[in-house]
Amino acid sequence: MTSFKKESKVSWSICPKYVPAEGTTRFRLVSYNMLAQSDIQLPYFSYTPPGCLDWMNRSKATLTLLRELRSDFLCLQELDAYDFYKTKLETYGYYSVYIQRDGKEPDGCGIFYKHNVAELLIEDTIKYNDLLELCHDDDDLGRDCVGIMGAFRLRGAPANHVVIVANTHIFWDPWLSHVQFAQAKYLTQRLAEFKTLVSKKFGCVEPSMIVAGDFNSVPNSMVYQYLISSHPDSKLWIENNEVVVEVEYFKEPAPMALGSVYAVANGREPKFTYCNQEFEYTLDYIFFSPSRLITPVSVLKLPDSTDSADVIGGLPNFYHPSDHLPLAIEFEIRKIKYA
């Protein structure tokens, strides 16, 4: 059996000598499509080096990567061995919540959180098959996709402040873009309802919102445009991403202002987050609700070219056990007293 001779290496795009200012709290969040083992079909991964698709090798490399990222939250998609990762990650100090996809698919979405950093207050799930009941005339909407969200209180943050973390996986097929768009709209609707519930139940005036996942949508897609359509700086990001359709196309903008952390931090999205032998796309994002309380201060540096040593030839490989790259963000929460 071929073993992984090289392990994933990660680096943060912030000077490690920096320390949080007094009166602030920092935490890290990762979003990662792990590539479900059940989705691996050898003809589609014929370019992958021998041994890289083996479950034992992949699971070991994935755990190594997740440990090296040193994150307080892990938002994992295509997680099809939840019990295995739950047990292993508990030894690293993580608790977790999880939802499996409807139908026969064995994978789902999980949120893992450091229990000495965050306390889970309440959770809820999203099943996009609910759209079948809302739109009776469109059978395409039954795609078994899911999401999960939780409200957390963070150690060191203001006692009355709550951070909402959501994790989702949007349908993959660009030829059914209306399904992707319907799921994006349903996602924001459910998030808005959850935010209202959290605000009332826990007395939080301004809950922070973080939405991570594999959205299977490029930056010039309707899904991406819609998700940032209520943000005041969205036009600038759209110009940077060379979007053809203007935001004004949406008669009803998203019910909350969401910005992409990589667009905020770097002025653009990554060159790609998914890479095989022939194609590379930006499909994964971490969105957040910008406010006076929470702001991104650093992001995980990603390759700028498919010629980079760790991605050349396509993924998975000895550096990356998935065909997606992990995204990571460090947030800062300011302590603000309400009048």
Side-chain angles (χ1 to χ4, degrees):
M1 178 184 296
T2 302
S3 61
F4 278 79
K5 299 180 181 179
K6 300 179 180 178
E7 295 183 342
S8 305
K9 301 297 180 183
V10 298
S11 61
W12 291 87
S13 59
I14 188 172
C15 177
K17 295 181 181 180
Y18 286 10
V19 296
E22 185 177 353
T24 63
T25 298
R26 287 187 178 180
F27 68 95
R28 289 175 176 173
L29 181 142
V30 163
S31 180
Y32 187 40
N33 182 322
M34 304 168 66
L35 177 57
Q37 191 72 19
S38 58
D39 285 347
I40 292 178
Q41 301 180 31
L42 290 178
Y44 296 104
F45 294 95
S46 58
Y47 58 88
T48 302
C52 290
L53 300 180
D54 178 81
W55 160 247
M56 293 297 294
N57 289 335
R58 289 191 65 233
S59 61
K60 181 180 178 180
T62 300
L63 287 170
T64 298
L65 173 63
L66 296 178
R67 184 174 64 249
E68 288 183 346
L69 287 167
R70 305 187 310 277
S71 184
D72 301 302
F73 290 90
L74 301 171
C75 294
L76 306 180
Q77 307 93 40
E78 290 200 27
L79 174 57
D80 65 349
Y82 172 62
D83 290 338
F84 170 83
Y85 284 104
K86 177 178 181 291
T87 300
K88 294 294 185 180
L89 290 174
E90 279 179 352
T91 65
Y92 303 155
Y94 290 97
Y95 289 167
S96 60
V97 292
Y98 173 75
I99 180 173
Q100 185 172 323
R101 291 175 62 184
D102 292 326
K104 298 180 180 180
E105 298 297 336
D107 65 292
C109 294
I111 299 175
F112 293 76
Y113 59 97
K114 285 288 185 73
H115 59 78
N116 64 341
V117 173
E119 174 192 3
L120 177 63
L121 302 176
I122 188 174
E123 65 178 280
D124 201 358
T125 59
I126 301 171
K127 294 187 176 183
Y128 295 109
N129 278 353
D130 291 346
L131 289 168
L132 285 170
E133 298 181 7
L134 300 174
C135 307
H136 301 287
D137 59 343
D138 192 348
D139 293 337
D140 286 339
L141 295 175
R143 296 295 170 174
D144 299 336
C145 300
V146 295
I148 191 167
M149 48 193 171
F152 298 87
R153 184 172 284 124
L154 272 62
R155 184 184 300 274
N160 65 336
H161 185 61
V162 176
V163 176
I164 296 172
V165 176
N167 179 27
T168 193
H169 193 177
I170 296 296
F171 184 54
W172 67 271
D173 192 347
W175 294 104
L176 292 174
S177 59
H178 70 288
V179 175
Q180 296 175 317
F181 187 56
Q183 291 183 350
K185 293 190 69 174
Y186 187 60
L187 169 66
T188 58
Q189 174 189 329
R190 291 294 309 280
L191 288 172
E193 294 170 354
F194 189 65
K195 183 176 181 181
T196 299
L197 171 65
V198 168
S199 181
K200 292 180 179 179
K201 187 176 181 66
F202 300 100
C204 179
V205 177
E206 193 177 345
S208 296
M209 177 76 70
I210 303 170
V211 188
D214 177 358
F215 292 84
N216 274 310
S217 305
V218 295
N220 64 355
S221 66
M222 290 178 61
V223 167
Y224 182 93
Q225 294 172 63
Y226 175 74
L227 290 173
I228 67 169
S229 61
S230 292
H231 192 278
D233 294 330
S234 60
K235 285 188 177 181
L236 173 62
W237 296 335
I238 283 174
E239 290 175 0
N240 288 344
N241 288 314
E242 299 180 355
V243 175
V244 176
V245 181
E246 294 291 338
V247 169
E248 286 78 3
Y249 170 85
F250 304 109
K251 296 180 180 179
E252 297 180 5
M256 63 186 66
L258 292 175
S260 166
V261 295
Y262 273 82
V264 170
N266 295 338
R268 63 172 178 82
E269 296 295 348
K271 291 289 187 180
F272 57 92
T273 63
Y274 164 86
C275 175
N276 61 24
Q277 190 177 36
E278 298 181 359
F279 305 103
E280 62 276 351
Y281 301 105
T282 300
L283 304 176
D284 308 87
Y285 307 93
I286 302 173
F287 297 100
F288 77 115
S289 55
S291 72
R292 57 180 180 159
L293 283 172
I294 188 170
T295 186
V297 293
S298 66
V299 295
L300 182 68
K301 185 177 181 181
L302 300 182
D304 287 328
S305 168
T306 51
D307 292 331
S308 297
D310 62 326
V311 297
I312 193 168
L315 306 180
N317 58 21
F318 287 117
Y319 293 94
H320 299 282
S322 172
D323 49 0
H324 289 250
L325 297 170
L327 306 183
I329 176 70
E330 186 171 29
F331 285 103
E332 181 177 271
I333 299 178
R334 297 181 178 88
K335 294 182 179 179
I336 295 177
K337 294 183 179 180
Y338 291 101

